[in-house]
Each structure stands twice: as C-alpha cells, then as structure tokens.
Amino acid sequence: MPKVKKNAIAEKIVSKKAIKKMRIEKPKDEPLVLQTLRGMKDILPEDQAYWEQVRRVSERLARDYGFSRIDVPLLEFANLFTRNIGGGTDIVEKEMYAFVTRGGDKVALRPEMTAGICRSFIQHGMHTLAKPVKLFSIGPVYRYDRPQEGRYREHYQANFDAFGEDDPILDAQIIQMAHRLAHCLGLRAIQIQVNSIGCAVCKKDYNNLLVNYLESKKTKLCQDCKRRLEINPLRVLDCKEDKCSQVAATAPQAVDHLCDDCRVHFKTLLEYLDELDLPYTINPRLVRGLDYYTKTVFEIWSGSEEGKKASLGGGGRYDKLIKMMGGEDTPAIGFAIGVERMIFEMKRVQAKSYKPMKPRVFLAQLGSLAKKKSLRLFSDLEKNGILTAESFGRGSLKSQLKIANRLGVELTLILGQKETLDGTVIIKNMTTGVQETVSMERLVDIIKKKLKTDNVVIYHNHDHDELIG
Ligand code: HAM
C-alpha cells in the first residue's frame, strides 16, 4: 500500500478516536457560553492603539538598554513555579492554573515570566554569554485571582531581566528604566518605592526576629497570616487585611537588620537614585509577592491621589534563583510592568489619546475591468504609505460613496470602465464635491500633495523617535 494512503487511513482512525473522546467529554446538552471567562477580556480594535504604543515603547527601551527579546512557553512544569516563586505566596497557594496533561505531566500556565526565563537561561547555557545577559519579553500571564478593577486572571506583562551583574549600578539602571518606561507612556507623576530585604544570610536573621515579633501578636492576625507565620512570615507584612497592616506597621524592619554587604549595596543604590533625581521613597514594608527576591525590591506607582492605587510595575534582585534552580551561581535583577494597569493610567491621566489610524482616502471601482485594476492600485497606494479604505465587494458606486461618507474620508478615487481604459482616475473631494480626472502615473504624487504631504497618513513608520516624550 502506498505510504500516503496509509497515513490518510491513520489520520482517519485518529480523528475518529478524537471525536469519540470529545463526545464523551462534551455532553451535547452543555450550553455554549458566549462570554469570556471571568477575569479575562478581549482586547478590542478600539483599544489596540494603546496596546501598540505600550509594545512599541517597551521594545524601543529594551533595544536602547541592550535587552534582547526572548519568548518562553505559556505552559511549563508546575513545580518550576511552585518551587521558585515559593510556598506561602498567594500566587502559588491560590492562583495557579495547574492541571495534569493527558500524558500525566503536572503543568501550569505561567503566573509570571521570570521563572520561565531563568529555566531558559539555564537550559540554553546562557551563562557563557557576555554579561550582563539582558532579556526582554512581553505577553500574557495567568493568576486565578479574585477579579476586580486592575486585577485580572489573564493580564499582560512587559518583563525585563538582567543576569550576571551584582553591582548596585545595575539596580539603579533597572529602576531608572522602569521609571522611563512610564514616563515615555505619558505618565509623569510616578512614585518609586524601594526597599532591601537582604541576602540569604541576613534575611534568615531578620526572619527569626520577625517570627518572634509576630508570635507575640498572633491573636491580632487574620487566619491566613496565622498560617503564613508558620511557613512564610515575610508575607504577613504584605497582607491587605487592616488588622494585619496594623501589626506590620510596628514590626521590625529588614533595612535595620541588613548585613554589611547588603547595607552598602542598598546605600550605594540610593546614592545612584539621588544622582538620577528619581522620585523614590523607602518603603520598609515592601516585600513583594514572590519569594525569590534578595536585596533590592522596588515598585512603581502612579502618583494619583484619588481612587484606589495599584502598582504599575515591580521587581528586584534575585541573586540566588539561578543557583537554586540548578544553574551556575548568577546574580540577577529584573522587573515587569502590568500592561493593562499602564493603559488604564494612560487613559485616566489622558496622557495622549491613542486612536486607530483613520484612512483619508477611499477607493471606489465600477465594472469588472476596473475592479481588477483597483486591486493593483490599492497595493500601489499601500506601498506609498497612503492608508486607503475600499469596499471591493460592492458593485454600485452609490453604495461605495455611502461607505466613503460614513468613514469621513477626504478624497474618494473613482475607477470606472472608461478611466481604466484611459489610464486615469477620478479624484472626488468629499467636502466640496469637486471632481477631477488625473493620470494613473501621477496619482500618488497628487494625492500626497492634496493631503498636504506631511499630513498624509504614512503608516510605514521607520522612525520611532516620536515615541519618546
Ligand atoms: P508582579 O509584581 O507580581 O511581579 O507583577 C508585575 C506587575 O504586573 C504588577 O506590578 C502589576 O502592574 C501587574 N499585575 C500583577 N498582577 C496582576 C493582575 N492580577 N491583573 C493585572 N495586572 C497585574 C512579577 O510578576 C515579577 N515576575 C516581576 C519581575 C521580573 N521581577 C523580576 N523580574
């Protein structure tokens, strides 16, 4: 039997089996829910200009600060996250989308990017590259959180991680970059919060001190924090419950119990931040929601007074994570911004209104010959960067002009049988109604002139300088 036929039969068998399985798993009477899952959303066309702006600014800054793009899978072995983000963190305890595959692998949708990027760093031997190795990524992450404003179950992060440098100058540069990112997106009233939670050595001593203190206040803690006290006491400082915040307010502070090395590191960092004139405050209770951090931690916040505040981004050092995962001892630092929160803030402060680009020209055609030619003409206009709308599927000129009117274009190009044979096009000014016939060869130049060359919507944007405000 020829190979192709055999394969075709195999495919049939597979698909029959698959269909049978689907029938078992999806009872026919299960209603189709035409809704996104809770905590997830569509990014609709009208919002895309904002998303595009965040992507462009992030990519531009990544390039300028020497970061290379990396993309890692959304799905990884679940223990990559449980072991490295840490037991006792909300992310691991309550928020993982974890499941067992048909093959029996325990996997999870990434609740953040750093663990996957570290896995990739080790897997691909990136420690041999010139240091620091700077990696940038942008994409969705998943946390089974309680959805509310600014808190989603699927959200996007732009994530920056730098490996192989423990000098605090890199901490300062990373914080400056986070600030610059917000600034370039039009957010001017940004506050930076910094703290140092110490290295593996002083973190341990501080932990003991904190446990003693918290034990003495145990009755005042929420149920979750009573448990946290046993497995991860630092998390109590992060608890949003009022009564726990009150206990945290008088707790011993990590910055007062740093070892010499960590103290000098933090002090030098603050000097660099002063030098850069960055608007920072030291928040001694900033511990972050992931366990891998050592020394520097930071968050950026919008400076808004009214409404509920939310951090726009955050990060810090994680000098021991790569080693803990089985790689070479490699210090590292990074941060991520939440794209949705940035966009929310851009809209709130009306930094600039981002709208999808609107075509200013409409191309109408009449008759089968003109229809054929108009496809080529559309492509010529596109190549010249003139954003043009059309409605090739419609036959009558009246219905096409109606669409042109609705779109609010300035010029409509009309290509009929006669014009096609003559090698001409009619240009109709949609405001005055005046029409003129011009030769096909000169069309592009004439349109550019009519739209006042510098106003023409040139969407092949080679120069991104205007991004940086
Ligand atoms: P993170 O603070 O958990 O850090 O998340 C980074 C940012 O993502 C937050 O500042 C916030 O803007 C946004 N974000 C977090 N959770 C949600 C949510 N449920 N809905 C909407 N936005 C959210 C990390 O994930 C670290 N991996 C950052 C990092 C990179 N540290 C070192 N390198």
Side-chain angles (χ1 to χ4, degrees), residues 362 396-408 430:
F362 188 89
S396 92
L397 186 60
K398 200 172 155 200
S399 67
Q400 292 180 70
L401 286 176
K402 224 167 146 182
I403 296 170
N405 260 324
R406 218 177 50 213
L407 291 173
M430 299 299 280

Side-chain angles (χ1 to χ4, degrees), residues 219-247:
T219 51
K220 294 185 179 153
L221 297 176
C222 73
Q223 271 324 102
D224 269 351
C225 280
K226 281 184 184 138
R227 210 169 30 78
R228 284 182 187 129
L229 181 50
E230 308 299 325
I231 46 173
N232 200 339
L234 212 59
R235 297 267 72 79
V236 176
L237 301 181
D238 212 19
C239 182
K240 307 286 175 287
E241 292 277 330
D242 265 356
K243 51 184 183 177
C244 302
S245 302
Q246 278 168 27
V247 173

Side-chain angles (χ1 to χ4, degrees), residues 70 72 116-129:
I70 187 168
V72 297
I117 290 169
C118 289
R119 192 262 313 130
S120 182
F121 182 90
I122 300 169
Q123 182 178 341
H124 299 285
M126 292 190 217
H127 64 281
T128 57
L129 302 176

Side-chain angles (χ1 to χ4, degrees), residues 112 114 143 150 152 155 157 159 161 288 292-293 311-313 334:
E112 58 107 46
T114 305
R143 296 181 185 178
Y152 306 103
H155 75 273
Q157 292 189 355
N159 185 90
D161 283 299
R288 309 267 305 126
Y292 50 60
Y293 292 112
S311 81
L312 301 176

